[in-house]
Amino acid sequence: MNPALFVQLRSGPPAGEIYRRTIEITVRAEQLGYRTVWFASRHFQAHHAALPSVFPFVAAAAQHTDRIRLGTGVVSVPFENPVRLAEDAAVTDALSGGRLELGLGKGLGFGHSASSYTGFGVADSERETIYTERVAELARILADGRVADGIELYPPPGTLRSRIWQSTGNIETARRAGLAGDGLLPHGNSQARAGRGVTELVDAYLAECRSTPRVGTTVAVLPGEGERDCLAMLDTDIALSPAYYPPLHDTADKRKYLADNRILLGTPDRIAEALRKHPDRPFATDVLYSIPLALHHPRYLECLARVGAVAALAPS
């Protein structure tokens, strides 16, 4: 199975440089045979993120690629008007030739999205209610192709309704995603999960799913020539983005950081062996590989190529 890539745009360099570099990476991913690239989106540099508005970026990336699918990872629905969201998604999908994968979410919590809720004037306590209502309205618009009686969505949404994914750590949201026939991007890093695993989420989703399940799991991998080489790449990354990291004083600190963040490192065959035992892998229909380096790291593209070897050695 061709791999998928989850790209986290990290603030630091001027925004234009980050965006152009990400498009270069997307082009290279297509050349290497990646199936999908997902672009992480957060507001106001939350957790050093650099992409607050994902649709213009996806539209730009679509003009430089031909085949690779392009995913929003994710649009924070509580900050969006569902009609405008449907229009933005439909225009972006038309520009990409039907390659948009529409990832939706609420914001990560744990302080990463607190500034976003404050900035948009939305009460964090209302996130579940607002999200549920607006996702339902968006799905209706994309399914019907109508905003209201006598008012048609333009451009027509085509099959976009069938390409919604919901990212969540909330069991009830996972159930609703299954009932709706949406894809699931489960995660444990949320207020609802408090770092627990995602098995319960997937079980809840599958119990309600009445269509072909779509479950994406994200795994962070740092492939190199061996552990020492991977630690050297990490050292370079710390030098490039010192504010991104906690204090890491020695090799033991760095190993703990990698373990705490579930980053698999080493040669492609060693990572592949670890992935075969990964607890999230048996139920995943899509594996999203995340390379935990700044996009302007001098060895990012080298890692991108090695991930293809990892995927080939650890097929789904």
Side-chain angles (χ1 to χ4, degrees), residues 106 128 168-176 190 192-193 201:
K106 306 166 193 170
E128 298 295 337
T168 188
N170 182 288
I171 287 180
E172 289 305 315
T173 304
R175 289 196 180 104
R176 287 194 297 270
S190 71
R193 303 300 300 161
L201 295 167

Side-chain angles (χ1 to χ4, degrees), residues 67-87:
R67 302 175 306 280
I68 196 166
R69 306 197 65 76
L70 306 166
T72 61
V74 293
V75 179
S76 296
V77 175
F79 313 140
E80 302 286 341
N81 177 294
V83 177
R84 287 293 298 127
L85 177 51
E87 288 185 324

Side-chain angles (χ1 to χ4, degrees), residues 261-277:
N261 288 276
R262 299 179 70 186
I263 298 170
L264 305 178
L265 75 157
T267 59
D269 57 343
R270 178 177 173 181
I271 293 175
E273 180 60 30
L275 281 173
R276 292 187 191 103
K277 304 172 185 176

Side-chain angles (χ1 to χ4, degrees), residues 44-105:
F44 312 125
Q45 296 187 79
H47 197 50
H48 305 280
L51 183 62
S53 185
V54 68
F55 289 117
F57 181 81
V58 170
Q63 304 314 296
H64 294 268
T65 55
D66 299 307
R67 302 175 306 280
I68 196 166
R69 306 197 65 76
L70 306 166
T72 61
V74 293
V75 179
S76 296
V77 175
F79 313 140
E80 302 286 341
N81 177 294
V83 177
R84 287 293 298 127
L85 177 51
E87 288 185 324
D88 287 344
V91 170
T92 305
D93 195 46
L95 280 168
S96 70
R99 290 185 282 140
L100 179 64
E101 299 291 329
L102 184 55
L104 308 174

Side-chain angles (χ1 to χ4, degrees), residues 230-288:
C230 294
L231 290 173
M233 284 193 278
L234 180 64
D235 286 339
T236 301
D237 205 55
I238 293 169
L240 287 171
S241 306
Y244 182 79
Y245 289 93
L248 301 174
H249 302 293
D250 53 27
T251 299
D253 284 348
K254 294 166 191 171
R255 287 196 178 110
K256 184 176 186 303
Y257 170 84
L258 293 165
D260 288 347
N261 288 276
R262 299 179 70 186
I263 298 170
L264 305 178
L265 75 157
T267 59
D269 57 343
R270 178 177 173 181
I271 293 175
E273 180 60 30
L275 281 173
R276 292 187 191 103
K277 304 172 185 176
H278 197 283
D280 299 348
R281 196 162 181 90
F283 54 68
T285 62
D286 293 70
V287 179
L288 285 56

